[in-house]
Each structure stands twice: as structure tokens, then as C-alpha cells.
Amino acid sequence: MKTLFRIACLLTALGSASAQPQKQPMKTLIVCFSATGTTARVAERLAATTGGELFRILPATPYTAADLDWTDRNSRSSREMNDPQSRPALANRPVETSGYAVVYLGFPVWWDSAPTIVNTFLETHDLGGKRIIPFATSGGSGIRKACDRLKAAYPHLRWEEGRLLNRPSDRELEAWTQQHR
């Protein structure tokens, strides 16, 4: 009888434990804007390393080589970067961010800043309470000023230390992302 009672208690305990809602792990989102594909390639590798989902910021009007000519003061990128109010339109619909705890935000560094289309993304998505980790690619600039400008423009967001990821090895990506898990 005691044995039967113990088995019944054990089954009841197991049944109530399985009835408890299982805590779902929060997901990682990799967001990137890439005009030439360089930042996108890093973002793809970052998504593979973290198991995160990739979302590309796509401009409604794609950038041409002439648009990206930083030596031409009248090029599209030069005009956008010289206009603090510039918010290029997005081609894609907003991504649902509620299930994500960590957002890696990637972009090329333009004029020591994130391209203004990144501002469009930040202003059209609810990233409150999420850990935002910037990463960038650049032909010659660092990421610090770009990150400082993003933090100043969006102080309500939870920014973490950013990193320049020009041609990172798999080992470097793994080590860096481990710091953010």
C-alpha cells in the first residue's frame, strides 16, 4: 500500500512539473544594412555563429555605385549623411522584435557614423529593453564614433560595446559572441 501511495505521489509530482510552463529561451536577431555586401557577409556568419535570425535593412531605392561615391559631395550618400534629418525609406516591412532579447546591429561606417537608413530602422522598430550590440565594417574608420553617435541619438536603448568586424575569423566571431550570451 505504501509503495502504491509513493508511486501515486511521484506521478502527481511529475504531472504537475510537466504542467509548468517551460521558459522559452529568448532569441537573437542579427540586423544589418549593407550597401555593397561586405557587412551582409559578416552578418550571415554572425547569424550562423549565434543561431540568430537575420534581417536585412533594405532601402526602398537601392544604392548604386554613383550613390556611394563619397568623394562626390552631391552623391546620394553624401547628401544623406550631411542631412541630420535624412531617413531613407525602407523597402521591407518591419520585423517583429518582441521575441528577441539580443539584437546585433550591423552597418558600414560612413563619415564616422552609421548610415542614416539605420536611423530609419531604429525609429520604426520597438527595441526597448533589448540588448543592442553594434558591429560594423569599414575601409578605414573605427566604430567608436559611430557607436557614440547612436547612443547619443537613442539614449533610451540598451547599448552594449560595439566592434569593428573587418574580415573576422570564425574563432574571433565565436569568442566575441560568447561575451554576449
Side-chain angles (χ1 to χ4, degrees), residues 127-143:
L127 299 176
K130 292 161 190 352
R131 297 170 46 216
I132 303 173
I133 307 161
F135 68 95
T137 57
S138 174
S141 301
I143 191 174

Side-chain angles (χ1 to χ4, degrees), residues 76-150:
R76 176 179 166 195
S77 59
S78 294
R79 288 190 319 270
E80 288 175 359
M81 296 307 291
N82 284 319
D83 178 4
Q85 302 307 311
S86 174
R87 298 296 184 269
L90 301 178
N92 42 353
R93 293 177 170 231
V95 62
E96 175 55 51
T97 61
S98 63
Y100 299 98
V102 177
V103 177
Y104 286 89
L105 179 63
F107 52 87
V109 177
W110 290 1
W111 291 264
D112 286 323
S113 300
T116 57
I117 197 165
V118 172
N119 296 39
T120 306
F121 173 83
L122 291 170
E123 293 169 11
T124 57
H125 289 79
D126 180 10
L127 299 176
K130 292 161 190 352
R131 297 170 46 216
I132 303 173
I133 307 161
F135 68 95
T137 57
S138 174
S141 301
I143 191 174
R144 182 175 306 274
K145 286 182 184 177
C147 289
D148 289 347
R149 289 178 175 150
L150 287 170

Side-chain angles (χ1 to χ4, degrees), residues 8 11 15 20 26 28 37 44 71 80 83 118 140 142 144 156 172:
L11 289 174
Q20 296 292 327
M26 292 300 279
T28 299
E44 289 165 358
T71 64
E80 288 175 359
D83 178 4
V118 172
R144 182 175 306 274
H156 63 285
E172 288 171 310

Side-chain angles (χ1 to χ4, degrees), residues 16 25 48 79 101 126 171 174:
S16 65
R79 288 190 319 270
D126 180 10
R171 177 184 270 168
E174 182 63 35

